[in-house]
């Protein structure tokens, strides 16, 4: 029986990834998409420091990292989801719902520490809803998370309407804004770096992470190899919900405002950063250091463009263009690689001579 088109595509991607890992280690590190993103980040940062006034200051660095923090937080579990071949478009709505919950509970007199725990639980439940609909009901994650994007956002807006809650303990707001001396680096980056390390270890050095890569290449093959498909995907969605809620707490304290429309459209920046960092939209390929570099590259670009007085609409267009390029570039590079491989095979095959 021949391969179906979808199975053929999966086999082609698997062959390409296996060939990539067959290269020497130095080539896999230096000649990789992730390394290219890191180099681009360094180049863009240097050029922006030279060309854009006030970009190369500790104040700009601090605001850049504060702005990038929610994207970086959500990008970590989003990487797990996309590597497994799924997607979660509801992350920004989960962030907004967490923000509203923190405001409502704090205004009702709850200790903010308890309110934070409740927000995390709400995020976990939101992730479990997505995971249940994808793994148990069997619906596609794209359709599910488009629906829960509207559902969670509707609940958040319905709880507060057009009003905002702006009274939060000063010490917590100050903690989010605090910097390490004159370096400009926010104290909150300690938590962010810790989570980067944890998610990197989970993705690259645990059976759970290997199961995510296997799922992205072939769900059937992963199941035959012993991966609990539904459980692995369910946990990935649950982690996405939990970290999105954590990002909602950060967002609320940083801006001092709980609103139902907080972070609308943030999922675009998250997905663009993850794909730009080398994660395949089809699953099965990606690295956490590339994702971190992708987030910072987008953050540097947006910060430099804002300092250069570029409009927010133009910045959104550039972010969207990066998303399109991130999706197209692996296909284009794969096509060129296939052409080169076919050319090498044709040159190495001796020509058949016609009988006299």
């Amino acid at each position: 029986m021949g391969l179906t088109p979808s199975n053929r595509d999966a086999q082609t991607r698997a062959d390409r990834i296996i060939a990539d890992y067959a290269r020497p280690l130095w080539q896999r590190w230096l000649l990789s998409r992730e390394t290219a993103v890191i180099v681009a980040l360094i180049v863009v940062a240097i050029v922006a420091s030279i060309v854009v006034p006030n970009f190369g200051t500790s104040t700009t660095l601090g605001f850049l990292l504060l702005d990038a923090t929610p994207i970086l937080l959500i990008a970590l579990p989003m990487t797990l989801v996309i590597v497994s071949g799924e997607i979660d478009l509801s992350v920004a709505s989960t962030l907004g719902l967490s923000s509203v919950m923190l405001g409502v509970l704090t205004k009702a007199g709850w200790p903010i520490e308890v309110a934070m725990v409740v927000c995390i639980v709400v995020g976990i439940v939101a992730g479990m809803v997505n995971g249940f609909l994808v793994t148990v009901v069997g619906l596609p994650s794209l359709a599910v998370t488009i629906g829960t994007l509207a559902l969670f956002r509707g609940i958040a807006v319905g709880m507060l309407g057009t009003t905002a809650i702006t009274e939060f303990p000063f010490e917590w707001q100050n903690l989010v804004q605090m910097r390490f001396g004159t370096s400009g680096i926010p104290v909150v980056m300690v938590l962010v770096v810790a989570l980067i390390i944890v998610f990197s270890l989970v993705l690259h050095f645990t059976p759970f992470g290997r199961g995510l890569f296997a799922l992205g290449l072939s769900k059937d093959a992963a199941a035959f190899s012993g991966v609990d498909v539904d459980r692995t995907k369910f946990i990935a969605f649950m982690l996405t919900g939990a970290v999105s809620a954590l990002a909602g707490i950060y967002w609320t304290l940083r801006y001092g405002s709980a609103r139902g429309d907080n972070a609308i459209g943030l999922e675009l920046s998250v997905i663009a950063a993850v794909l730009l960092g080398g994660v395949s939209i089809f699953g099965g390929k990606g690295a956490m250091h590339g994702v971190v570099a992708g987030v910072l590259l987008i953050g540097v670009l947006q910060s430099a463009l804002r300092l250069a007085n570029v409009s927010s609409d133009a910045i959104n267009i550039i972010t969207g263009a990066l998303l399109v390029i991130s999706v197209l570039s692996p296909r284009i590079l794969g096509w060129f690689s296939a052409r080169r491989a076919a050319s090498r095979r044709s040159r190495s095959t001796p020509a058949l001579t016609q009988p006299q």
Side-chain angles (χ1 to χ4, degrees):
M1 182 181 295
L3 292 174
T4 64
S6 61
N7 288 338
R8 190 179 300 111
D9 288 342
Q11 184 63 50
T12 301
R13 285 186 282 113
D15 291 342
R16 192 179 301 145
I17 292 170
I18 291 170
D20 180 63
Y21 279 98
R23 297 185 300 166
L25 181 62
W26 69 269
Q27 288 188 10
R28 299 207 314 261
W29 274 92
L30 294 180
L31 305 179
S32 67
R33 173 81 174 272
E34 293 79 13
T35 302
V37 176
I38 293 172
V39 171
L41 169 62
I42 295 172
V43 170
V44 171
I46 292 174
V47 172
S49 298
I50 297 172
V51 175
V52 180
N54 300 318
F55 180 84
T57 64
S58 59
T59 301
T60 299
L61 173 64
F63 281 112
L64 189 158
L65 292 175
L66 287 172
D67 290 341
T69 291
I71 300 174
L72 187 51
L73 286 173
I74 300 175
L76 299 176
M78 181 69 82
T79 301
L80 307 187
V81 171
I82 296 181
V83 163
S84 73
E86 304 292 345
I87 198 166
D88 188 349
L89 298 177
S90 68
V91 289
S93 297
T94 303
L95 185 157
L97 180 58
S98 169
S99 175
V100 168
M101 288 296 301
L102 184 65
V104 169
L105 294 178
T106 303
K107 186 176 181 180
W110 288 44
I112 191 169
E113 297 82 1
V114 177
M116 289 178 183
V117 173
V118 173
C119 289
I120 299 295
V121 172
V122 168
I124 292 173
V125 172
M128 291 172 68
V129 170
N130 287 332
F132 175 83
L133 293 174
V134 171
T135 61
V136 178
V137 181
L139 300 175
S141 59
L142 179 63
V144 166
T145 56
I146 286 176
T148 53
L149 177 153
L151 173 63
F152 300 154
R153 184 67 69 181
I155 295 173
V157 173
M159 291 175 66
L160 280 185
T162 57
T163 61
I165 297 174
T166 57
E167 296 180 3
F168 298 96
F170 172 77
E171 59 272 17
W172 280 97
Q173 289 185 263
N174 186 56
L175 177 63
V176 169
Q177 302 281 355
M178 192 179 299
R179 320 289 175 91
F180 285 111
T182 59
S183 67
I185 299 175
V187 173
V188 73
M189 290 306 296
V190 174
L191 173 62
V192 175
V193 171
L195 287 175
I196 290 172
I197 294 172
V198 169
F199 275 92
S200 298
L201 293 174
V202 167
L203 180 62
H204 297 292
F205 299 100
T206 67
F208 176 77
R210 289 190 289 272
L212 291 171
F213 283 107
L215 279 173
L217 291 175
S218 171
K219 184 174 69 173
D220 294 334
F224 279 121
S225 64
V227 176
D228 190 330
V229 174
D230 291 344
R231 176 176 175 272
T232 301
K233 289 186 178 182
F234 188 85
I235 292 174
F237 279 106
M238 191 169 63
L239 288 172
T240 307
V243 178
S244 296
L246 177 63
I249 295 170
Y250 166 83
W251 187 287
T252 306
L253 295 177
R254 194 226 162 163
Y255 295 106
S257 176
R259 296 175 53 93
D261 59 354
N262 275 349
I264 282 182
L266 189 72
E267 64 277 349
L268 172 64
S269 296
V270 172
I271 295 171
V274 172
L275 299 184
L276 183 63
V279 178
S280 171
I281 188 62
F282 303 105
K285 187 177 186 298
M288 199 61 75
H289 66 281
V291 171
V292 174
V295 172
L296 294 178
L297 176 57
I298 290 180
V300 168
L301 280 171
Q302 292 180 340
S303 178
L305 291 172
R306 281 195 294 266
L307 286 174
N309 296 320
V310 176
S311 68
S312 59
D313 290 336
I315 294 174
N316 289 335
I317 291 172
I318 293 172
T319 303
L322 284 174
L323 177 57
V324 173
I325 293 170
S326 301
V327 174
L328 286 179
S329 58
R331 280 297 183 107
I332 296 173
L333 292 174
W335 182 81
F336 278 114
S337 297
R339 289 292 300 271
R340 286 199 301 269
S343 177
R344 285 196 298 268
R345 286 195 299 269
S346 65
R347 288 197 300 267
S348 62
T349 302
L352 295 177
T353 59
Q354 296 293 333
Q356 298 298 326

